[in-house]
Amino acid sequence: MATELWNAVDEYFSRALVKPDPALDAALEASAKARLRAINVAPNQGKFLHLLAKINGARRILEIGTLGGYSAIWLARALPEDGSLVSLEANPDYADVARGNLAAAGLSGKVSVLTGLAAESLEELIRSGTPPFDFIFIDADKSSYPDYLRLTLQLSRPGTVIVADNVVRSGRLGDPNNREPDIIGIRSFFQMLATTPEADSTAIQTVGAKGWDGFSITIVSASQTATGS
Ligand code: SAH
Ligand code: DHB
Ligand code: MG
């Protein structure tokens, strides 16, 4: 079976390239114990996000969709000493699990988990004049991805990197007859990327321990229409 080989290859990469990390293991254990679904990124994907944030020299990171804080730990570990991560989570119980996991990883000082609907938290961050983020990871409800893109662009600067998880959904994105809310949301997210002059993007499919899915990646540039205005 191909899927067994996907898993085997993911395990191979994780074993070869991802250093064992008790805090990450403990975060997954505590998440399972609290009955959170295991929809966190895979270890090699977490490290991929970590490397992207480092490549971008990110000092301020925004995450939408915390769950138990697994990807948040990976992202926060990419930050310099004075860096910070804001992560948004609708479910207060998940947010508590995440705060516990981040504390156990020694990252409480760098990470704030904001409870509430992400769109509302984003509006509030915009209203309060929060400085732009350097790296943004979108990973909450897929039907809201267009809203998250519209709002995060307002929290970006030229050079901000925006990564979105789960943009392929076992290939369902490729089925023009699919009308699921997630797929409709992801299509309209890509439509927005395609028509936003300051967004330069691509997307990559992935297979592995988390099935068949994919990431999009965008770098925000100075808006052509806004130049000089
Ligand atoms: N980034 C995590 C996984 C996130 S799973 C990791 O890889 O470790 C998606 C999360 O988004 C879930 O915890 C879910 O509760 C949260 N979520 C769903 N809808 C949301 C919304 N409208 N606002 C904020 N969070 C939401
Ligand atoms: C789901 C959400 C995710 O963020 C993910 O990585 C995988 C699955 C989901 O809601 O099914
Ligand atoms: Mg995801």
Side-chain angles (χ1 to χ4, degrees):
M1 266 308 269
T3 55
E4 277 166 29
L5 285 175
W6 299 351
N7 291 347
V9 172
D10 252 14
E11 268 163 40
Y12 179 91
F13 286 152
S14 295
R15 210 167 307 145
L17 305 174
V18 182
K19 283 197 203 83
D21 184 321
L24 285 166
D25 294 344
L28 290 184
E29 243 170 72
S31 299
K33 213 165 172 189
R35 298 178 160 279
L36 272 53
R37 290 167 63 211
I39 54 174
N40 52 274
V41 294
N44 54 328
Q45 295 177 332
K47 185 154 185 194
F48 180 70
L49 296 170
H50 169 94
L51 292 174
L52 287 176
K54 268 194 175 169
I55 288 165
N56 197 33
R59 310 177 74 83
R60 293 176 45 76
I61 301 180
L62 172 66
E63 174 177 71
I64 306 178
T66 319
L67 193 68
Y70 183 79
S71 54
I73 294 175
W74 272 114
L75 288 168
R77 290 240 168 102
L79 289 165
E81 205 48 60
D82 60 346
S84 62
L85 165 70
V86 175
S87 186
L88 312 180
E89 174 54 53
N91 185 312
D93 298 332
Y94 298 178
D96 279 342
V97 174
R99 288 187 192 105
N101 288 334
L102 288 155
L107 293 165
S108 294
K110 282 183 175 167
V111 184
S112 337
V113 180
L114 305 185
T115 309
L117 294 176
E120 288 176 10
S121 300
L122 292 167
E123 301 269 17
E124 183 50 35
L125 290 169
I126 294 165
R127 251 197 313 274
S128 64
T130 305
F133 292 93
D134 307 310
F135 187 94
I136 298 171
F137 179 49
I138 302 178
D139 193 22
D141 52 318
K142 315 309 164 197
S143 58
S144 300
Y145 275 26
D147 287 332
Y148 298 151
L149 179 59
R150 178 176 55 81
L151 294 163
T152 54
L153 283 169
Q154 297 173 56
L155 292 163
S156 298
R157 55 156 178 90
T160 295
V161 169
I162 303 176
V163 174
D165 193 23
N166 311 115
V167 298
V168 176
R169 313 268 57 201
S170 304
R172 294 200 296 281
L173 181 69
D175 172 7
N177 298 318
N178 189 300
R179 298 274 185 279
E180 289 166 11
D182 283 12
I183 299 301
I184 290 174
I186 294 165
R187 268 193 214 121
S188 120
F189 171 80
F190 277 112
Q191 182 62 24
M192 272 179 80
L193 286 178
T195 55
T196 302
E198 64 266 38
D200 202 6
S201 310
T202 190
I204 294 289
Q205 304 186 60
T206 56
V207 294
K210 301 291 170 174
W212 174 16
D213 222 313
F215 292 104
S216 69
I217 183 164
T218 296
I219 183 158
V220 178
S221 64
S223 160
Q224 275 135 38
T225 52
T227 332
S229 69

